[in-house]
Amino acid sequence: MLLAALFFTSAGLADDGQAAPYAGRRIVDVIDEFRGEGEPFVYSTNVVTDDLYVAFEPEPGTPLEIVRQILRPHGLTIQTDSGVHIVVREPSAPARKTAPDSSGAEPEDPEIENVVVAASRYAISRDLSSSRFQFDQRTIQSMPDLGEDPIRITQRLPGAAASGASARAHFRGGEQNDIGIMLNGLWLFDPFHIRDYQNIFSAIDARAIDGVEVYTGGFPVRYGDRMSGLVLMDSLEPDEPRHNEIGISVFNSSVLTAGTEGDHGWLFSARRGNLDLVIDPKFGQPSYFDVFGEYAFEFSPRARLSVNALYADDKVQLVLETDPEELEQVESDTRNAQFWLQLQSEWSDSLSSNTVLAWVDYSNRRSGDTNDEEKMVATVSDDRDIRQVSLLQDWLWAPSDSHRTQWGLQVTYSDADFRYDAEATYGGLQAVILDPVTSITRSLQASPSGANYAVYISDRWKLSDRTVIEWGLRWDDQTYTDLESDAQLSPRLNLMYRTSEKTELRISAGRYQQSQPVQALQIEDGVTRYWPAQRADHIIAGFRYLAPADTALRVEAFYKDISKVRPRFENLYDPLGVLPELQADRVRIDPTHARSRGVEISADRITGAWNWWASYTWSEVTDRVDGRDAPRSWDQRHALQAGVAWHDERWSFSAAASVHSGWPTTSLELVEIGTDPDGDPIYEAVPGPRNAERLPTYASLDARLSRTFDVRRGSLMVFAEVTNALNRRNVCCIDWDIGDDGLESSEDYWMPLLPAIGILWEF
């Protein structure tokens, strides 16, 4: 009823007047007219000059759609930043030149932040967090990342720790599930393929989104129930009557169609994974696909409703050991259906709202077995069904260019069923490691249900031309946990101070709390209850300087104090097993406290057809367990990211390198603890201090090259890319066993050199 009331009220805000013709008018006059009506357009007078005229009458649409159409013939487009529409050049468009200076050179235009119309409105709308990064669609597609995955690009950021095998990452020492992923206003539910084995790809098509906005910390109070970071995405808004794409590569086959007509537009994307076609069938059949669709229509210039649906389906069989005497395999069948409505309403020039009503239906069936009598003989059956209904609503009130207030609420009801059965018997080293056992049996069920509630408010003030401050407060609570008095209150404060036109100082301090999601019940490890919400207190200080030659320099220091740490389960030596919860090296880590701190230094520059970036991060991430500080298993003291890209009208090339300290590991020794009745020695495998050792340094170089051809209908883009181009053997883990001469070890590795080719037809 609430959504219906908002819809009918918003739809009534339409104007009956007809728009005046645009063809032949100056573009600055058209944009200024929209700005006078309250549309948040921003442009540099050196980019949108007085001699630019509207070349043709645009198709009817929203002000944003109209402006995009009239800018396109001039090599210009719109980039949206914090709700402000900024006029920028198309990535492939040449820079306009100003008059020659005294030396005869023709300087390129300054950056958008140097000469901006309505700069005061832009300042109050900009995000205050220095831990925020943006990637447009072109950058995502040109980056040499496995499978053109928009989530994987976050692994290139300072403070990110990732293995390269999984699409998921750790931000500034947090766990992987400390990061929230949002698409078109909805928090996505487990949007990954092959979820039971490393989450290798996300279920998001990079071609279907407009870009990615990432927070590695210090995010606004509007976003809650996450401690480490956010990945925010909006689907691509079509700006032409019809656009189609057909693509095929080593990793997937895809089709996309999008278009706009009058007051409505649509987008449909479908992808099928191709791994089952390229790998040897004896290693399994990883079959998966995903479908995303959006249909949006405007009932008035101030009301837009979009209907969204995302469906991902996995039928995966993985075989790690093919020898019948050592068979190790797992089968997983996952269906993930998400459907939501998003209503965006502008009630007046100063008041707007965004409402999302969503439904999720998720099921996962996992079964597996191992048959190595010298190590482990085990079977598992793991069934999970989860249903959710949620309502999210956000309001924004901006009465002036120096003040804005946001508030909102979130209600989610979840109903879940878990059924878990497993048996395992151990032999060899597995039988004498940790607490020696010969067998284990688990048969557990759980049916939790209940709600998540959240409300928040934030207030932002522009105190002067150089200073903007924002405070916020958030309250969260959960009813499915059976915990009393576990409501969470999260205050936050952000400050931005511009010391000059080219320098900014930003400071963030706040509390970030995260409850245990319904789907994260640790039933596979014998736990059938939910833990209290975790809490992290962040302090972040960042400095940004725009150096000569358009080089941006950034230095940021962070400190994260984590309390109420949820117990977690890890494998000391083999994190890649298909049944990790049954392996004998599985341990429960129960910290009383955790801490993350570090310094990030980064630089980037765009000059003509070239751009490069580089960052160095020093960090330390520890858990306090039994009075001792131990590194978290993804702690990397030193990390370097660097890359370079070049493009012209036809060619595009990029290369990126990642180097970081080896992740922690644990030693193991065989200790004689006695003799049996026959006088033979009895041994026990005793681990050393957890994570006291280090694996070798990790390094990977990735590259991508593409070429675009004009064809009779549309264009054809052909690309080739390679992951780990130097075929470096990056150690992931240590495989221990008992041999004739005692304890023996061997190394397992992350991904080897992986070449890929693909083709994309756009028409």
Side-chain angles (χ1 to χ4, degrees), residues 531-553:
W531 304 98
Q534 301 181 96
R535 183 174 71 199
D537 293 327
H538 293 205
I539 300 177
I540 305 168
F543 177 79
R544 184 178 182 272
Y545 172 61
L546 184 61
D550 294 336
T551 302
L553 303 176

Side-chain angles (χ1 to χ4, degrees), residues 690-712:
R690 191 180 68 87
N691 286 349
E693 307 293 331
R694 290 273 174 178
L695 296 173
T697 298
Y698 175 100
S700 180
L701 175 65
D702 311 321
R704 177 185 171 100
L705 178 67
S706 66
R707 172 71 157 87
T708 301
F709 301 87
D710 290 330
V711 294
R712 178 175 299 180

Side-chain angles (χ1 to χ4, degrees), residues 34 225 603-604 630:
F34 285 135
D225 212 21
D604 62 83

Side-chain angles (χ1 to χ4, degrees), residues 271-470:
R271 300 186 306 166
R272 180 201 186 278
N274 289 339
L275 290 184
D276 59 328
L277 304 178
V278 298
I279 68 172
D280 191 326
K282 71 179 183 180
F283 295 114
Q285 291 289 306
S287 175
Y288 55 91
F289 70 89
D290 55 68
V291 177
F292 171 72
E294 180 192 21
Y295 180 76
F297 45 100
E298 295 186 358
F299 298 98
S300 78
R302 293 182 179 269
R304 179 181 187 269
L305 179 67
S306 65
V307 182
N308 304 263
L310 176 64
Y311 180 80
D313 189 285
D314 288 35
K315 291 181 174 60
V316 176
Q317 181 190 51
L318 295 177
V319 181
L320 295 191
E321 292 289 348
T322 59
D323 187 337
E325 295 183 356
E326 299 180 0
L327 183 64
E328 186 177 4
Q329 66 179 10
V330 64
E331 295 182 4
S332 177
D333 187 352
T334 305
R335 293 184 297 105
N336 189 348
Q338 305 180 60
F339 176 84
W340 69 103
L341 305 175
Q342 182 182 33
L343 175 64
Q344 297 168 298
S345 308
E346 293 185 22
W347 303 90
S348 68
D349 291 343
S350 59
L351 182 65
S352 61
S353 66
N354 184 69
T355 304
V356 175
L357 180 63
W359 168 80
V360 173
D361 187 14
Y362 174 89
S363 70
N364 173 245
R365 306 284 182 266
R366 178 174 65 111
S367 61
D369 57 85
T370 65
N371 188 34
D372 188 347
E373 294 183 355
E374 295 183 358
K375 293 182 178 180
M376 179 174 71
V377 176
T379 61
V380 65
S381 175
D382 185 0
D383 296 343
R384 302 167 186 243
D385 295 281
I386 300 163
R387 298 155 294 277
Q388 284 188 344
V389 178
S390 60
L391 172 67
L392 299 84
Q393 189 171 71
D394 301 288
W395 290 82
L396 171 62
W397 180 53
S400 70
D401 289 345
S402 61
H403 179 215
R404 62 183 288 180
T405 301
Q406 285 187 283
W407 68 93
L409 60 87
Q410 175 180 341
V411 180
T412 300
Y413 181 82
S414 304
D415 180 28
D417 292 296
F418 298 86
R419 295 169 297 279
Y420 184 86
D421 294 281
E423 293 182 351
T425 57
Y426 303 100
L429 180 63
Q430 298 266 5
V432 296
I433 196 172
L434 297 176
D435 297 326
V437 295
T438 58
S439 65
I440 187 173
T441 301
R442 289 183 186 142
S443 182
L444 301 168
Q445 295 185 10
S447 297
S449 62
N452 292 64
Y453 300 100
V455 293
Y456 75 90
I457 184 171
S458 66
D459 206 33
R460 181 180 298 187
W461 289 88
K462 181 185 176 187
L463 303 181
S464 69
D465 289 340
R466 294 188 173 188
T467 307
V468 180
I469 191 171
E470 179 181 62

